Amino acid sequence: RKAVQKPRGVHGMLTALRDYVGDNYIQADAKEEEKKLKSAFPFLLQTGETVKFAFLGRGGKGRDSFYFTDRRILERDVTGLTGSSVKYVSTPYSKIKAWAISTAGGGFDSDSEFQVWASGMKHMEIEFNKNKVDLFAINQFFNAMMLPTEQEYKVVIPEGASPGASFETEVAGQVLTVQCPPDLEPGMTMMVKVPSTNPGSYEAGEKTDEAGVSSFLSWLGDDAREVDPKELEARLRSAPNVLAPEERIELAFKSRRDYMLLSNKRLFILDKKGFTGKKVVYLSVLWKSVRAFAVETAGSFDRDCELAVHTSIDSMRTIGMDLRATTCDIMAVQRFFSDKILGLDNRPALMGLDRLEGQSDAGGGSFAAWLGDDSRQIDAADADATFHSNPAILQGSEHVEFAFKGRRDMVLFTTKRLLVIDVQGWSGRKKAFISVPWGTVQAFGVRSAGSFMDKDSEMMVWTDMMFIPGSGEDNPPEPGMAFLEFDFQKDKVDLMAVQRYLAARCINMDGIPPNAPVPSSTTAAAAQGGSVENLLNWLGNDGVQLTPADVQAHLDAAKVLVEGENVVMAFKAGRDSCVLTDRRLLSIDVQGFSGKRVAYISIPYASMRAYAVESAGSFDRDAELKIFTRIYWELATFSQDFRKGKADILAIQTFLSCMILRDGKASLPPGADLPSSSPGAVGEVGGFLDWLGSDAHEIDAAAVQQRLHHETPILQADETVDAAFKCGRDMFVHTNKRVMFVDVQGWSGKKVEYLSVPLRFCTGFEIKTAGKFDRDSELRIYTDCAVGRLNQDLRKGKANVEHVWGSMQEKFLP
């Protein structure tokens, strides 16, 4: 007999209608969906890649779907009226910075949600039918995929250690007390886990319970109080279990119904919403996303302490919380963040610093310096002793190397961070301690004092945090934590010593790898232009190449370079200069009528995310260099024009490839040659352009590799082309090290831009197949810098989409 299907009833029909109209996803069988994917689209998954969760849109009746595999989040988005065009978006787990699950509320809110924030990718949000998705299983899956594990190291048991007894050993820069296993003896090895925090050392001292008006004001002000982390941890391990197996909560704070948890693996926020509190958001922010932090003590009339956590997530710049001073130890909070973000290891001190040790403070100086709150250098050893004890801001393994003091505020350069002490209020009891790890600094600069009334010099620091966006002319953007500036008394601070210190702390000091080649210092002579041409060059600020040895001598004399740093290339435009050393790009900007005010701005190669060189055209007299960084304020893009025939743009491109593509290693084998210096060489690509033609299609990778190695030598000696596509006169090239876009401009085609984005700075990718009325497929690559997204059309029938997709997977997935 045929089975009789029971009607779903009105409630079931309304639920199905709501899921369809609201595009709510339901969970499907992962293995079955994987089989369907492999059958219908064999190229979508990598060999060995498995689907762990599958979700179907519109209550299972839609065309779109999400797949959580063991390597990425894969979105399938069917577009167009006919559904013949499909977009596949891949987000690797390694690029995710935070995620959140949200339970359904009461009443009309019957949807649960899942959100992901990833570097360079759009904010992802998926709405679920709450009864057809296991939300907490998804959270546990992401716990396993995303949360870091404590590293294990091999340790030799020392002589004198008894089985079962404890002994001290140094592991990864930390001195740990380790218990010897009862079955092991001295001389044998054991594995030791190195914690990223000091368990149990952050609990507040004796707490004072508030009562009466004080308690009411704290409630009204939404001030958080500290709660027992172990008790809360036990509760969060019961149904539903939201913690990872080896996760421990070190500190916990409660504000009305909400919680902020600081664990050894993440910053965890529980946010109850709605009148009933049934809707709960569980937000997980990975510690790698925290770029700076600040704590603020309570003042005389201000009862609250404050915590501010600054992240690299654009839409989540600052996570803040007011804390009750009577129930929270703000210094314990500061210690936790210091241990977690700065690390527990010992950082070696820099040698040869003038710390003014033992010298008495000369005082605030002139009235103008006091009025401008200009800082002076003070005894670093004295500051080190002070902030190791009263209050104990510094770690035991951390030491002050430079110290500066203004009217009341201080700036400390320690072995691990830039620490700003901001004294507030009439009494000075309220103090803010702002910590910026050296790894957060993406660029830095100093500016000397000018003449006449300009008596202060400045230090500038750029970070990889987002600025505060404005909302019109009356509310312009503000730098926030994206840019920090400090004023110094010019006669009481050695500005070049500050600049060299920042270089030592913020730049990879390895320089060019041993035996790696550098461009020749010779430059072909160019014909002298007429008076009009010279005037245009001067007005256009076009650069001409200088002799590196001469520039090296001048910079060494001015004490700008650090020990062992070498000038590779240098260019002059008007009074300004652009210098490429083996460790950074140094921009020297001469300002003011007298030229005494000079800014020295340094961008380390490690901060560069992409770069482009552009040859001069027939009617455009300038070649150009562009650098794209991870900086949001002012220095997102750095550009420099070069006078036609006065700079070897090809050698510049090759040198930048050597420094940026290497990822800490030499990109060129020892003895490899860079192009000889021949200004204007990149523009001479007539045969190369003739070969490109004008129609869009995939072209032979081997032929492109041959031409880019020899005819126009852009590629490195050990660089290979995996795929290449052309559209008109332009070309999109995928190599084993970068994505490169060749943009041919102008009527003559002599002006050519070569844009390079290293693979490690590409954050995700998507492919949209051709539709019924759209004859082109589309490739999009996401980056985490000012380049944004790279788009390339792929002509239908003339580009192998499966090959392109496979190439992207090999490059961006583990």
Side-chain angles (χ1 to χ4, degrees):
R1 294 185 305 170
K2 291 183 178 180
V4 179
Q5 185 176 7
K6 297 179 66 176
R8 293 185 296 174
V10 175
H11 178 71
M13 294 176 61
L14 290 176
T15 299
L17 179 63
R18 183 181 64 242
D19 288 343
Y20 188 87
V21 174
D23 196 16
N24 293 336
Y25 285 75
I26 65 170
Q27 190 168 341
D29 184 271
K31 291 185 178 180
E32 288 299 320
E33 293 302 317
E34 182 180 326
K35 289 180 182 178
K36 293 179 183 178
L37 276 180
K38 289 181 176 179
S39 175
F41 314 102
F43 65 92
L44 272 183
L45 300 179
Q46 284 185 299
T47 302
E49 185 177 10
T50 59
V51 175
K52 301 299 183 181
F53 287 88
F55 308 98
L56 308 179
R58 301 196 183 279
K61 305 297 183 181
R63 303 182 299 180
D64 303 337
S65 49
F66 279 92
Y67 306 94
F68 297 170
T69 79
D70 56 350
R71 300 177 188 180
R72 58 177 152 176
I73 297 176
L74 177 62
E75 177 185 2
R76 183 173 183 266
D77 180 12
V78 182
T79 62
L81 184 64
T82 63
S84 58
S85 179
V86 184
K87 181 170 65 176
Y88 301 97
V89 184
S90 285
T91 304
Y93 292 124
S94 61
K95 304 302 180 181
I96 293 177
K97 296 182 175 183
W99 77 92
I101 59 171
S102 304
T103 61
F108 296 101
D109 184 8
S110 59
D111 305 333
S112 56
E113 298 170 5
F114 177 72
Q115 300 179 74
V116 167
W117 293 264
S119 178
M121 306 286 287
K122 65 180 181 180
H123 172 221
M124 182 187 302
E125 186 172 3
I126 311 172
E127 293 189 350
F128 295 127
N129 179 319
K130 67 175 183 180
N131 297 317
K132 296 185 178 181
V133 170
D134 189 345
L135 199 63
F136 292 99
I138 296 174
N139 187 67
Q140 284 294 351
F141 172 73
F142 271 77
N143 285 348
M145 297 300 298
M146 300 302 306
L147 296 182
T149 57
E150 292 179 335
Q151 287 186 288
E152 286 191 329
Y153 294 84
K154 185 179 293 186
V155 171
V156 177
I157 301 174
E159 294 294 331
S162 303
S166 298
F167 63 91
E168 284 192 349
T169 183
E170 184 173 346
V171 185
Q174 300 182 42
V175 177
L176 302 178
T177 301
V178 180
Q179 186 173 18
C180 179
D183 56 339
L184 297 182
E185 298 178 353
M188 301 176 71
T189 60
M190 60 178 289
M191 300 303 295
V192 175
K193 286 187 178 180
V194 178
S196 55
T197 57
N198 282 311
S201 64
Y202 309 108
E203 296 181 8
E206 186 176 347
K207 303 180 181 68
T208 304
D209 293 332
E210 294 181 311
V213 175
S214 179
S215 179
F216 174 73
L217 290 176
S218 294
W219 178 87
L220 196 65
D222 200 20
D223 299 340
R225 69 180 190 276
E226 189 170 350
V227 295
D228 185 358
K230 300 305 178 186
E231 179 183 345
L232 191 57
E233 181 179 323
R235 289 172 56 188
L236 292 176
R237 291 199 184 281
S238 60
N241 181 13
V242 296
L243 299 181
E246 294 186 351
E247 187 172 12
R248 60 179 183 273
I249 299 175
E250 299 287 1
L251 286 171
F253 306 96
K254 183 177 182 181
S255 174
R256 296 186 186 177
R257 301 184 302 177
D258 304 332
Y259 291 88
M260 176 186 282
L261 313 178
L262 308 180
S263 86
N264 61 320
K265 294 181 179 289
R266 59 180 148 182
L267 170 61
F268 203 10
I269 295 177
L270 278 60
D271 182 11
K272 290 189 176 182
K273 296 182 178 293
F275 179 74
T276 63
K278 290 184 177 180
K279 188 176 186 66
V280 183
V281 179
Y282 299 83
L283 171 64
S284 297
V285 180
L286 297 177
W287 286 121
K288 70 178 182 180
S289 304
V290 176
R291 308 302 291 159
F293 57 95
V295 297
E296 190 173 284
T297 62
S300 298
F301 305 102
D302 183 357
R303 307 170 52 259
D304 306 335
C305 300
E306 295 179 21
L307 166 67
V309 181
H310 305 284
T311 78
S312 58
I313 304 171
D314 296 351
S315 59
M316 207 183 301
R317 297 187 309 276
T318 302
I319 301 171
M321 177 170 278
D322 291 340
L323 307 174
R324 300 185 196 179
T326 56
T327 64
C328 299
D329 184 350
I330 195 65
M331 289 300 122
V333 176
Q334 197 278 151
R335 287 198 306 274
F336 173 84
F337 276 91
S338 296
D339 291 349
K340 189 64 195 176
I341 307 303
L342 304 178
L344 295 170
D345 58 324
N346 293 300
R347 306 284 172 84
L350 297 180
M351 305 302 293
L353 300 178
D354 184 6
R355 303 174 68 218
L356 300 187
E357 191 168 352
Q359 298 185 28
S360 59
D361 185 3
S366 66
F367 176 74
W370 180 89
L371 194 64
D373 198 17
D374 299 338
S375 297
R376 62 194 181 276
Q377 188 174 353
I378 61 174
D379 185 350
D382 183 60
D384 185 82
T386 298
F387 291 102
H388 268 114
S389 57
N390 186 29
I393 294 295
L394 303 179
Q395 296 178 293
S397 59
E398 181 182 14
H399 299 285
V400 177
E401 298 183 301
F402 273 134
F404 308 92
K405 186 174 183 179
R407 282 198 302 266
R408 297 190 300 176
D409 302 340
M410 296 182 67
V411 178
L412 306 181
F413 294 173
T414 81
T415 50
K416 296 188 177 185
R417 58 179 149 178
L418 168 65
L419 178 61
V420 181
I421 298 100
D422 180 13
V423 181
Q424 305 172 9
W426 179 76
S427 66
R429 291 183 59 186
K430 190 175 186 68
K431 297 182 179 68
F433 300 90
I434 305 167
S435 296
V436 181
W438 291 123
T440 299
V441 177
Q442 300 295 304
F444 58 90
V446 296
R447 185 184 293 115
S448 62
S451 57
F452 303 110
M453 297 301 294
D454 187 7
K455 302 298 183 183
D456 58 339
S457 55
E458 290 109 32
M459 179 189 81
M460 300 86 71
V461 167
W462 289 265
T463 73
D464 56 3
M465 291 177 280
M466 185 65 176
F467 60 85
I468 303 171
S471 57
E473 294 182 1
D474 297 333
N475 185 25
E478 297 180 9
M481 293 296 293
F483 172 74
L484 304 173
E485 187 174 17
F486 306 92
D487 292 338
F488 293 136
Q489 297 182 39
K490 68 174 184 179
D491 57 341
K492 295 187 177 180
V493 173
D494 184 346
L495 199 63
M496 285 300 109
V498 171
Q499 188 272 153
R500 292 193 302 274
Y501 177 87
L502 292 174
R505 280 293 172 207
C506 303
I507 297 178
N508 176 8
M509 302 306 287
D510 292 340
I512 296 178
N515 301 320
V518 296
S520 170
S521 61
T522 59
T523 305
Q528 295 294 324
S531 59
V532 175
E533 181 179 359
N534 292 333
L535 175 63
L536 291 176
N537 289 333
W538 179 76
L539 289 176
N541 198 34
D542 301 336
V544 295
Q545 194 162 346
L546 304 175
T547 303
D550 293 342
V551 178
Q552 177 92 32
H554 283 86
L555 293 180
D556 282 339
K559 298 182 179 180
V560 175
L561 304 179
V562 297
E563 184 178 355
E565 185 175 10
N566 297 299
V567 173
V568 179
M569 288 178 160
F571 310 92
K572 185 175 177 61
R575 298 188 300 176
D576 304 333
S577 301
C578 177
V579 181
L580 297 175
T581 80
D582 56 353
R583 296 172 187 183
R584 56 176 153 171
L585 182 152
L586 176 63
S587 173
I588 304 174
D589 181 13
V590 181
Q591 305 169 357
F593 178 76
S594 67
K596 290 185 177 181
R597 189 169 179 81
V598 183
Y600 301 84
I601 298 174
S602 296
I603 305 177
Y605 294 116
S607 301
M608 300 178 186
R609 295 295 185 265
Y611 56 100
V613 295
E614 186 177 279
S615 62
S618 297
F619 303 102
D620 184 354
R621 308 168 52 261
D622 305 336
E624 188 177 4
L625 165 68
K626 295 179 183 177
I627 300 291
F628 302 90
T629 74
R630 189 65 175 88
I631 301 167
Y632 289 98
W633 188 260
E634 296 178 334
L635 293 179
T637 303
F638 174 88
S639 62
Q640 176 65 59
D641 289 338
F642 300 107
R643 192 181 306 176
K644 184 177 181 180
K646 290 285 188 175
D648 188 346
I649 200 73
L650 180 57
I652 295 171
Q653 191 279 154
T654 308
F655 174 70
L656 289 176
S657 296
C658 179
M659 301 308 295
I660 299 174
L661 295 180
R662 61 179 180 155
D663 194 18
K665 301 177 181 178
S667 287
L668 298 177
D673 293 325
L674 289 177
S676 61
S677 205
S678 52
V682 176
E684 305 297 331
V685 289
F688 179 58
L689 296 179
D690 292 339
W691 171 73
L692 279 179
S694 60
D695 58 329
H697 60 273
E698 185 171 3
I699 52 182
D700 182 55
V704 174
Q705 179 173 312
Q706 173 71 15
R707 290 176 180 269
L708 290 180
H709 266 303
H710 302 287
E711 190 168 312
T712 305
I714 295 294
L715 301 182
Q716 295 183 292
D718 59 344
E719 191 171 6
T720 59
V721 174
D722 298 330
F725 310 89
K726 66 180 221 47
C727 181
R729 297 183 300 176
D730 302 335
M731 185 168 62
F732 209 57
V733 182
H734 305 164
T735 81
N736 60 326
K737 296 186 178 185
R738 58 178 147 176
V739 176
M740 183 166 61
F741 186 69
V742 182
D743 180 16
V744 182
Q745 306 169 11
W747 178 77
S748 66
K750 290 186 176 181
K751 191 174 184 67
V752 185
E753 181 185 70
Y754 298 84
L755 170 65
S756 297
V757 182
L759 293 180
R760 68 182 186 278
F761 300 133
C762 298
T763 59
F765 59 97
E766 70 177 58
I767 282 186
K768 182 179 179 181
T769 61
K772 188 171 183 179
F773 304 103
D774 181 6
R775 62 197 189 98
D776 296 336
S777 300
E778 297 176 15
L779 168 65
R780 175 174 292 172
I781 297 175
Y782 294 87
T783 73
D784 66 348
C785 66
V787 169
R789 297 174 296 188
L790 299 172
N791 300 302
Q792 177 63 56
D793 290 338
L794 306 174
R795 181 68 59 84
K796 185 177 181 180
K798 292 191 176 183
N800 189 333
V801 175
E802 296 184 15
H803 171 64
V804 176
W805 181 260
S807 176
M808 294 295 98
Q809 292 184 136
E810 290 180 7
K811 288 175 170 57
F812 302 136
L813 298 181

